[in-house]
Amino acid sequence: MWKNILHKNISVFEYNDAVKEVLATFKFRGDAALVNVFQNDFLGVYKNQISSQNIDYAIPIPLSKERLYERGFNQAKLLADFLPIPQLDVLQRTHHEKQSKKSRLERLTASNVFSVTESSKIDNRSFLLIDDIYTTGSTLRHAAKLLIQHGATSVSSLTLIRS
């Protein structure tokens, strides 16, 4: 089902209690400025492990309209803003149920929560998906699957944390 969908994922940090606390403050308590704590490490991993891959565009994993309104910012977009590559906004989240409320099995078997907004911008291009946390990988694989189905040549991902 997921073979040849996501080329690879690289995460900057492993999940631990310290990272968990910083992420909770950043993401769930609305402290968007805290993203700057991650800038050097996030950009460093990009430069050392991804920049040579000829990526055309970064795509921050989108939030639903409801979640964006509730939070006031997209944490993936703030992370993507650190990278020296253009961003493309061709995905939208069509499902707004919180991933953090689902079990591992529910996440792995969920239907695709994304749709493509502009398929003409995807064909023959390579993409780097950006997200804050890689848990089961299902969110990133769903996004990557749509991009591949619409002609992307490759899709990799860079996440801040891997749990």
Side-chain angles (χ1 to χ4, degrees), residues 21-163:
E21 183 59 32
V22 173
L23 182 65
T25 302
F26 165 52
K27 188 173 171 179
F28 299 118
R29 295 183 203 131
D31 192 350
L34 200 53
V35 73
N36 293 311
V37 168
F38 305 118
Q39 182 174 7
N40 288 341
D41 292 313
F42 199 75
L43 185 56
V45 168
Y46 170 79
K47 286 180 177 176
N48 292 329
Q49 299 185 45
I50 297 173
S51 63
S52 64
Q53 291 183 27
N54 297 320
I55 302 285
D56 293 308
Y57 293 101
I59 299 178
I61 292 295
L63 297 177
S64 68
K65 289 178 184 172
E66 294 85 356
R67 191 77 57 240
L68 184 59
Y69 177 78
E70 176 183 288
R71 190 170 296 155
F73 63 92
N74 179 343
Q75 69 281 359
K77 169 81 170 90
L78 296 179
L79 291 166
D81 288 346
F82 292 141
L83 304 180
I85 54 175
Q87 295 176 32
L88 197 58
D89 185 21
V90 294
L91 295 176
Q92 68 181 3
R93 189 178 289 259
T94 55
H95 191 271
H96 54 82
E97 187 176 333
K98 289 183 178 180
Q99 290 291 304
S100 61
K101 301 294 181 194
K102 293 181 179 177
S103 71
R104 179 176 175 79
L105 180 61
E106 288 171 329
R107 290 179 191 205
L108 290 171
T109 58
S111 59
N112 202 324
V113 297
F114 300 106
S115 64
V116 169
T117 58
E118 293 182 77
S119 63
S120 64
K121 294 182 176 180
I122 297 172
D123 198 33
N124 289 318
R125 295 197 170 83
S126 60
F127 296 95
L128 181 66
L129 296 169
I130 306 297
D131 207 0
D132 58 339
I133 189 162
Y134 182 109
T135 305
T136 63
S138 63
T139 297
L140 293 163
R141 286 189 185 95
H142 280 147
K145 186 174 184 177
L146 272 180
L147 294 170
I148 295 293
Q149 287 173 339
H150 285 85
T153 56
S154 72
V155 183
S156 296
S157 59
L158 175 61
T159 58
L160 183 63
I161 300 166
R162 177 142 191 174
S163 66

